[in-house]
Amino acid sequence: MKRLSIFVVLTLIVIGVRAQKTDVVNNGYPIGQVPFTAVKIMPNTFWGQRIKAAREVTIPLAFSKCESEHRYKNFEMAAYTLQHPGHPGLETAEWDVAKFMGFSFDDTDVYKTIEGASYVLQTYPDKRLKAYIDSVLDIVAAAQEPDGYLYTARTINPNHPHGWAGKHRWERVEVLSHELYNLGHMVDAACAHYQATGSDKFLNIAKRYADCVIREVGPNQGQACVVPGHQIAEMALARLYVLTGEKKYLDQAKFFLDMRGKTSIHDIYSQSDKPILEQKEAWGHAVRAGYMYSGIADVAALTGDKDYIRTIDAIWQNIVSRKYYITGGVGARHSGESFGADYELPNLTAYNETCAAIAMVYLFYRMFLLHGEAKYIDCLERTLYNGVISGMSIDGGRFFYPNPLSADGRYMFNADNTNTRQPWFGCACCPSNLCRFIPSLPGYMYAVHGGKDAYCPSVYVNLFAGSTATMQVNGKKVELEQQTNYPWNGDVAIRVKANQAGLFTMKVRIPGWVHGEVVPTDLYTYADKEQLGYTVNINGQQITKDGSAPAMDKDGYVSITRKWKKGDVVNVHFDMKVRTVKAHRRVAADQGKLSVERGPLVYCAEAVDNTGMDIFNFLLTGNPAFQVIDNPTLVGGIQQITANGQVLNYDSNGRVTASDAVIKLIPYYAWNHRGAGKMQVWLTNQIINNN
């Protein structure tokens, strides 16, 4: 089938809504995810705007890059070789893989973009986009070898494969080949495509490759006993198990994890320096680590393996208590794109790869599915609103690879030696990862605990966004609607639009920032004396006899149990005030400094908003008198914060002087939309107080 031009696809935007599926994904998790297929984000909301940008700009851009950057051509060349084995071209420069394939994982750009487009198709059906994806899947399928193996870096020219591939299958998979990394992204994309469209076209391709891996990679004689050098296959295979119920996929995921640190490669960079049950802290390449930790959490949740649970609990604790940025990013070092040592959290040179932040969202959500505690969603929310969406411009067309917390306008922090948002990268993992992640946001909002026979199941309301959701509760349909302007204010209305389940418990998360917890460790604490509160009522009536706010349970939720009726409305109000935050005394980079946040958003100062002063010389006073100002025309529409302080200068005699000043702050995710310049998240505080 001839591929439709992506530019034709761009001309058709369909706004209709597909009839929503009502299933809960739960094939062994203690808590069941309400999947993206069951939740629709409303347009013209905070997340509606971001999904719109991904749908109209990011995904079409990524598809066009697959055309222009040889991604589709790789599959077509592999298919030609399969159809004409030993053809004369294999010995010519034109078929020298190293000359046209930049990375052995280039195939994943195609998979990730299809995944993102599939999420979009669920909410915005588009016949031409669906046909375009089908045409791409035709060329992907044609590149699959008869036994299911699908890796164009080798198939194009088996005698002269990509330099990272090795001479034989799986030979260099623990180092550079990325054969199993490609499998992981293929499986994730295929599962999403199946869930969104009901077509098993891609799923069958992915299952054939997964089955090939199961036959050829394992502990038995004649198999290659290897593990992924770049992890992600573990969590993808767990997802394939959840979708299909075929336990062989979960077993293979566990094999990859069980064997890590026990093969011939021992490298802290890829977390293979020791067996995973001996790992207690986060080290090495942050994206590889985050994907592997997500896989460990998957296996822990799906099997109940206590050793796995202890391992992932320890690693999570290490990250959030010692290696986690205030913006929710991870990965302090440019060298190896890696975690640093405990409390090593530099600002100007922070790496904080966008992909690593996405990996943390995957991990935090899986920890929630395992334990059911709001603190994991608190971390997810912090990373989501700050560390993830900072990687993509408001319009969806420019990107960051790293996400530093300070900029001087000169330091080149991007992977391509730039310091501004870029339209694409040669190594395109971050833009294509955003393609697939942003439209998947609806799948993180709700969860259900308690199966069909549960006496009183629970519905978790984890994230707050204008949306509708349809789910199965106690085996029967429940439909909820949220109306809110979150994160700009703390008012959320949750309406019961339909309920066939009768009695259930609605569990509404009370964010950590409301009850005085920056993160669920002592890595960051509030420096001010503000006290925030919340209220919850049903149909305009208080739900406690004395009119006080209902108590938050030990897991971080307000739990309301009743026989819900159509039209019931739960109104939640979270106080939103500007807060200042200080870092643990062992975070050297942040001593004598404060960060500013409001609700889930971290703020920063950018030079373009503060002409006439050097923001690096600004001192935040002990009484900054914050003001919140609506600015609907600035960087997509934001709330700006102003604060009083002083700015340092030199007088004519070279002495330091201090003059009163007002600094303007914007949400961190919105910086660098107006060119390179100075930026600071952590502002120097006039009074150093980190006791």
Side-chain angles (χ1 to χ4, degrees), residues 239-300:
R239 180 177 184 176
L240 189 58
Y241 159 70
V242 170
L243 184 69
T244 66
E246 296 184 50
K247 191 170 179 292
K248 62 183 178 181
Y249 300 123
L250 179 61
D251 292 342
Q252 189 71 16
K254 192 171 187 300
F255 163 77
F256 285 148
L257 293 168
D258 285 344
M259 286 304 299
R260 197 157 206 90
K262 301 176 184 178
T263 64
S264 59
I265 300 295
H266 299 94
D267 189 350
I268 199 169
Y269 170 79
S270 58
Q271 298 78 41
S272 60
D273 56 311
K274 62 180 72 171
I276 64 162
L277 296 185
E278 297 177 19
Q279 297 186 30
K280 304 300 179 188
E281 58 182 316
W283 276 111
H285 189 273
V287 180
R288 284 170 162 85
Y291 288 162
M292 186 183 83
Y293 302 152
S294 298
I296 295 172
D298 273 328
V299 172

Side-chain angles (χ1 to χ4, degrees), residues 219-390:
N220 302 318
Q221 186 174 0
Q223 290 184 303
C225 191
V226 293
V227 297
H230 193 312
Q231 303 91 309
I232 197 174
E234 301 88 344
M235 56 189 288
L237 288 167
R239 180 177 184 176
L240 189 58
Y241 159 70
V242 170
L243 184 69
T244 66
E246 296 184 50
K247 191 170 179 292
K248 62 183 178 181
Y249 300 123
L250 179 61
D251 292 342
Q252 189 71 16
K254 192 171 187 300
F255 163 77
F256 285 148
L257 293 168
D258 285 344
M259 286 304 299
R260 197 157 206 90
K262 301 176 184 178
T263 64
S264 59
I265 300 295
H266 299 94
D267 189 350
I268 199 169
Y269 170 79
S270 58
Q271 298 78 41
S272 60
D273 56 311
K274 62 180 72 171
I276 64 162
L277 296 185
E278 297 177 19
Q279 297 186 30
K280 304 300 179 188
E281 58 182 316
W283 276 111
H285 189 273
V287 180
R288 284 170 162 85
Y291 288 162
M292 186 183 83
Y293 302 152
S294 298
I296 295 172
D298 273 328
V299 172
L302 292 167
T303 67
D305 187 306
K306 293 182 179 179
D307 290 332
Y308 268 63
I309 293 172
R310 281 192 291 268
T311 294
I312 197 56
D313 283 349
I315 291 172
W316 178 85
Q317 185 69 25
N318 175 252
I319 292 172
V320 177
S321 65
R322 301 186 179 192
K323 300 185 178 183
Y324 189 54
Y325 277 93
I326 190 67
T327 55
V330 295
R333 299 176 181 175
H334 279 246
S335 175
E337 302 177 323
S338 64
F339 285 99
D342 288 352
Y343 304 106
E344 181 187 341
L345 296 166
N347 294 311
L348 179 67
T349 61
Y351 199 67
N352 278 350
E353 185 179 340
T354 300
C355 288
I358 291 172
M360 286 300 104
V361 172
Y362 294 149
L363 171 61
F364 297 149
Y365 194 72
R366 285 158 171 79
M367 295 299 290
F368 162 75
L369 294 178
L370 176 61
H371 293 302
E373 296 179 49
K375 65 182 182 181
Y376 302 110
I377 304 297
D378 290 343
C379 292
L380 184 155
E381 181 179 67
R382 177 171 294 277
T383 299
L384 185 64
Y385 277 96
N386 303 289
V388 171
I389 61 174
S390 60

Side-chain angles (χ1 to χ4, degrees), residues 78 94 403 438 529 596 608-609 612 631 640:
E94 183 182 356
N403 295 272
I438 296 297
K529 299 185 184 302
V596 175
V608 67
D609 297 311
N631 197 328
Q640 202 168 30

Side-chain angles (χ1 to χ4, degrees), residues 399-456:
F399 310 94
F400 275 152
Y401 205 111
N403 295 272
L405 279 74
S406 177
D408 60 11
R410 298 186 302 273
Y411 179 68
M412 304 299 182
F413 53 81
N414 259 326
D416 59 352
N417 293 319
T418 61
N419 58 11
T420 58
R421 296 178 183 274
Q422 295 298 296
W424 207 250
F425 300 101
C427 176
C429 55
C430 291
S432 57
N433 225 358
L434 286 161
C435 277
R436 76 184 188 120
F437 179 78
I438 296 297
S440 76
L441 181 279
Y444 295 94
M445 290 190 59
Y446 296 94
V448 172
H449 183 245
K452 184 175 181 180
D453 298 323
Y455 166 68
C456 187

